[in-house]
Amino acid sequence: MSKPTITDPEILTAAYTKQVIDEYEGNRLIEALPPIMTDDELVEKLPTPIKYKQEQRQFDAVYRKYFLTRLLRFFQPLPQHFDLYHKFSMVLRDGYLDRNPSKYRARDLQNIYERVQKGSSGEIYVDEPSKMVNGFSITGWSGIGKTTAINNVLKFFPRTIFHPELNIYQIVWLKVECPKDGSLKQFCGFFFQAVDNILGTNYKEAKWKSRATEDQLIADMVEVAIIHCIGVLIVDEIQNLSVAKAGGEENFLNFFVSLVNEFKLPIVLIGTNLALPILTKKLSQSRRSLGLGSIAWDPLVPDDTWDFFLEELWQYRWLHTDQPLTEELKTAFFYETQGIVDLLLKLFIFCQMTAIDDDKEVITVELVHKVAKKELYLVAGVIQAIRENDKMKLFKYRDIGFRELNEYFVKRIEETTTQAKPVDVAQIQHKAPESASTVELVVSMLKTLDIEEELARSVVTQIVADNAGLDAISLSQHALKVLKPDEKKPSNKRIKKIKEFEDGDLRGLWERAKQNDSHIYDELKDSGYISLGIAI
């Protein structure tokens, strides 16, 4: 197989290291992985740094509201995150033990090819594993931090490694969402698309056809998994199986059992508490267990861990007034969020924004309760049920409100940062940091909107050069008009990586600028996006 024509910076060339654990020696798929990290190393590398300077607390209110959005990326590792890293690292490496490409590859691919030709997934022959291949599940409330936790663990493992001596593209981990309708056939399509997005292949187009049977698609999936040495398959939103058609839920779980027991592919299942009946009842009835360890990702409780987390978060305040984190404030924050990290982050951001707007610049117990009542009303019923430990109400509410809250939060952030109090422009410019800092501030904001940093910096720098004296708000508005001239509602459809772009697609202009060694600003101007140095 030739190297993909699309250059993906996440595809690394294999570099092999000597293994401390004897059984890992001689297996190129394991030797190419990053070394196992100790807990001391994880302490240094797990946290997500948030840019923060004390002097920023004296900036104008508008700038400080922009700074507050940085807290959406706040991640403070806790003991369960260390356990999650080691658990994932173990199942990944142990899963490769009996999939050494120098031993199984030719025979297993031939066997799969024969099964596919006959149109049956059948029993694919592989050696009996010398060690049990496992996976695990992570379940818990929405907003509890499950997906954030696994994403922060995955950053320590390259997604794809190219082995020149073996001519293999090793996909270390592949993350696929369970379809909303719980369809196994749709899941196969998501799987092929995920591989295509990484390697620039066309598996979905070639294999996911309307007439293809589930058996055929499963056989094709296994073929792709073996060809690309997929280390761990991560299936998110597994609770969607609860709405699968009759028999669909059982088919899905039997499929997972086959992947683990027959093909030695570890699986990590992630879902809300809605998935618990599926994972406990259905799997316990199965003759062959998935062998999954279960991680219950529970809310924080008011103990030393809660205090530590809140104290770390409390450092990131952009208020004029300096104040200590009192026990009364800790209690108030817990009462309103019940230890759900996502709610705590949102409440902390809104409390600061409200304090800034009130000109008091202080977070009080009364303010915490007032803001929670106003901003977290969509999940008030769920929080009350958790507070009272009312199992009947919890079953009734389950995850109702959390998705709506996320949509509401985005809307409120936009309103709060764009509808600032009228202020004197000259005063803002006087208080504003130097031009270089203004550029950095705007670029940082654009990055939160999923705009490539290099592209954002290039456009912002050129706008500053053509329009001296712009403040950060005007500069960000000009930049957004250039970079997102016709913003549409985001689509849930997966975007396929392509080299050619339709007319009007800014990515095409960006590629053209790089190929012609020209400035992106010039390409935008030539294409009519910019006129006389001002975005239109």
Side-chain angles (χ1 to χ4, degrees):
M1 178 176 56
S2 59
K3 198 167 185 177
T5 55
I6 296 179
T7 303
D8 187 339
E10 294 189 41
I11 298 180
L12 306 180
T13 301
Y16 306 111
T17 58
K18 184 174 178 58
Q19 300 297 297
V20 176
I21 299 175
D22 295 341
E23 53 263 43
Y24 295 163
E25 278 289 341
N27 188 320
R28 290 308 206 190
L29 301 179
I30 299 177
E31 291 176 339
L33 298 176
I36 299 171
M37 289 199 293
T38 65
D39 285 350
D40 288 340
E41 291 172 321
L42 288 172
V43 167
E44 295 295 324
K45 298 180 180 180
L46 258 178
T48 300
I50 300 291
K51 291 184 178 180
Y52 178 83
K53 294 180 181 179
Q54 284 287 338
E55 54 265 31
Q56 293 171 349
R57 293 170 55 186
Q58 304 308 316
F59 284 9
D60 189 90
V62 173
Y63 296 108
R64 289 184 286 139
K65 287 181 179 180
Y66 275 96
F67 291 144
L68 283 170
T69 61
R70 296 175 180 175
L71 291 175
L72 297 175
R73 299 186 296 274
F74 177 82
F75 175 73
Q76 176 57 52
L78 300 172
Q80 57 262 43
H81 296 108
F82 294 84
D83 295 338
L84 179 60
Y85 165 82
H86 290 299
K87 200 173 190 69
F88 182 85
S89 179
M90 286 178 187
V91 299
L92 171 64
R93 297 170 203 275
D94 287 353
Y96 276 136
L97 279 176
D98 294 282
R99 290 191 289 154
N100 192 327
S102 63
K103 296 180 180 179
Y104 79 84
R105 192 170 182 80
R107 185 198 61 207
D108 283 359
L109 287 179
Q110 177 62 33
N111 183 256
I112 288 176
Y113 173 75
E114 292 174 0
R115 303 254 53 97
V116 171
Q117 290 297 93
K118 294 177 181 178
S120 170
S121 58
E123 291 289 330
I124 297 179
Y125 174 78
V126 288
D127 287 336
E128 282 298 314
S130 58
K131 187 171 183 178
M132 178 67 177
V133 176
N134 287 308
F136 56 92
S137 63
I138 309 174
T139 56
W141 285 94
S142 289
I144 207 70
K146 306 179 300 296
T147 301
T148 299
I150 193 68
N151 287 343
N152 276 280
V153 166
L154 293 178
K155 71 182 182 181
F156 296 115
F157 300 89
R159 188 170 61 179
T160 313
I161 302 173
F162 176 59
H163 299 257
E165 67 177 46
L166 300 172
N167 197 28
I168 291 175
Y169 283 93
Q170 172 190 2
I171 298 179
V172 178
W173 53 268
L174 187 70
K175 192 175 180 184
V176 183
E177 281 196 6
C178 181
K180 292 182 179 180
D181 61 358
S183 163
L184 179 54
K185 187 171 184 178
Q186 187 67 46
F187 178 80
C188 293
F190 286 179
F191 174 90
F192 294 132
Q193 186 65 66
V195 175
D196 290 344
N197 289 342
I198 295 172
L199 298 178
T201 48
N202 64 340
Y203 286 123
K204 184 175 182 181
E205 181 181 349
K207 298 179 180 297
W208 197 68
K209 301 175 181 178
S210 58
R211 294 183 179 180
T213 64
E214 283 189 359
D215 280 347
Q216 180 73 36
L217 289 171
I218 291 171
D220 288 342
M221 274 187 61
V222 174
E223 177 187 20
V224 171
I226 291 181
I227 287 174
H228 297 297
C229 304
I230 295 177
V232 176
L233 177 61
I234 303 165
V235 184
D236 204 353
E237 306 295 347
I238 194 66
Q239 73 277 358
N240 289 340
L241 286 184
S242 63
V243 297
K245 295 180 180 178
E249 180 182 296
E250 186 173 352
N251 289 341
F252 227 121
L253 294 174
N254 288 338
F255 168 60
F256 289 149
V257 168
S258 296
L259 288 179
V260 172
N261 289 350
E262 296 176 21
F263 312 133
K264 298 168 248 175
L265 175 60
I267 297 178
V268 174
L269 303 179
I270 305 174
T272 66
N273 288 332
L274 287 172
L276 285 174
I278 301 169
L279 297 176
T280 54
K281 180 181 177 182
K282 293 294 182 181
L283 290 181
S284 64
Q285 292 175 351
S286 176
R287 290 183 179 180
R288 295 175 295 179
S289 170
L290 280 175
L292 296 176
S294 179
I295 300 177
W297 211 266
D298 296 322
L300 298 177
V301 296
D303 58 9
D304 291 343
T305 300
W306 167 261
D307 289 347
F308 169 73
F309 186 90
L310 193 50
E311 286 164 4
E312 290 297 309
L313 179 63
W314 187 256
Q315 299 176 62
Y316 298 104
R317 298 187 321 284
W318 281 275
L319 303 177
H320 288 332
T321 305
D322 194 12
Q323 65 176 118
L325 176 61
T326 64
E327 292 300 320
E328 290 77 14
L329 281 170
K330 292 179 183 178
T331 301
F333 275 114
F334 184 82
Y335 180 85
E336 296 295 354
T337 65
Q338 290 299 295
I340 297 177
V341 171
D342 184 62
L343 296 185
L344 174 61
L345 291 177
K346 289 179 170 64
L347 181 57
F348 188 54
I349 290 172
F350 277 133
C351 281
Q352 293 198 56
M353 287 188 169
T354 303
I356 291 172
D357 286 340
D358 289 346
D359 294 327
K360 296 180 180 179
E361 305 279 343
V362 175
I363 298 177
T364 63
V365 171
E366 292 74 22
L367 180 71
V368 172
H369 293 310
K370 175 185 174 183
V371 172
K373 184 177 181 180
K374 177 184 177 183
E375 308 292 2
L376 303 185
Y377 73 93
L378 287 170
V379 292
V382 181
I383 294 301
Q384 184 64 24
I386 298 174
R387 195 180 292 139
E388 297 173 355
N389 195 26
D390 189 325
K391 292 181 172 57
M392 292 298 294
K393 285 184 178 179
L394 285 174
F395 180 78
K396 173 185 175 182
Y397 284 115
R398 293 178 284 190
D399 291 320
I400 295 175
F402 285 93
R403 189 178 301 277
E404 292 85 349
L405 177 64
N406 286 333
E407 296 172 356
Y408 170 78
F409 178 74
V410 172
K411 180 180 178 182
R412 286 288 289 117
I413 286 293
E414 291 174 351
E415 291 174 353
T416 307
T417 54
T418 56
Q419 297 179 0
K421 295 180 180 179
V423 292
D424 181 53
V425 174
Q427 186 180 16
I428 293 178
Q429 292 176 343
H430 176 71
K431 291 183 179 181
E434 295 180 358
S435 178
S437 298
T438 303
V439 170
E440 292 301 319
L441 176 63
V442 175
V443 169
S444 177
M445 184 274 292
L446 294 173
K447 285 170 61 180
T448 67
L449 300 177
D450 294 328
I451 296 173
E452 185 178 332
E453 180 176 359
E454 187 180 354
L455 173 60
R457 191 180 303 281
S458 179
V459 170
V460 170
T461 302
Q462 189 63 48
I463 293 175
V464 170
D466 289 352
N467 304 274
L470 286 179
D471 59 83
I473 298 175
S474 300
L475 181 56
S476 62
Q477 290 172 344
H478 284 312
L480 283 172
K481 287 179 181 178
V482 175
L483 295 165
K484 294 195 172 186
D486 221 0
E487 187 74 63
K488 296 180 180 179
K489 186 175 181 180
S491 170
N492 289 328
K493 294 181 180 179
R494 294 179 178 268
I495 299 174
K496 184 177 180 181
K497 289 186 177 180
I498 52 177
K499 287 289 275 186
E500 297 180 359
F501 302 95
E502 297 177 358
D503 292 340
D505 193 325
L506 290 179
R507 294 175 298 171
L509 297 180
W510 181 239
E511 288 295 327
R512 188 192 307 166
K514 289 194 289 186
Q515 292 173 4
N516 297 338
D517 196 24
S518 60
H519 199 285
I520 182 61
Y521 195 80
D522 296 329
E523 296 291 344
L524 290 167
K525 186 180 292 185
D526 292 343
S527 300
Y529 283 94
I530 300 175
S531 177
L532 300 177
I534 301 294
I536 58 175

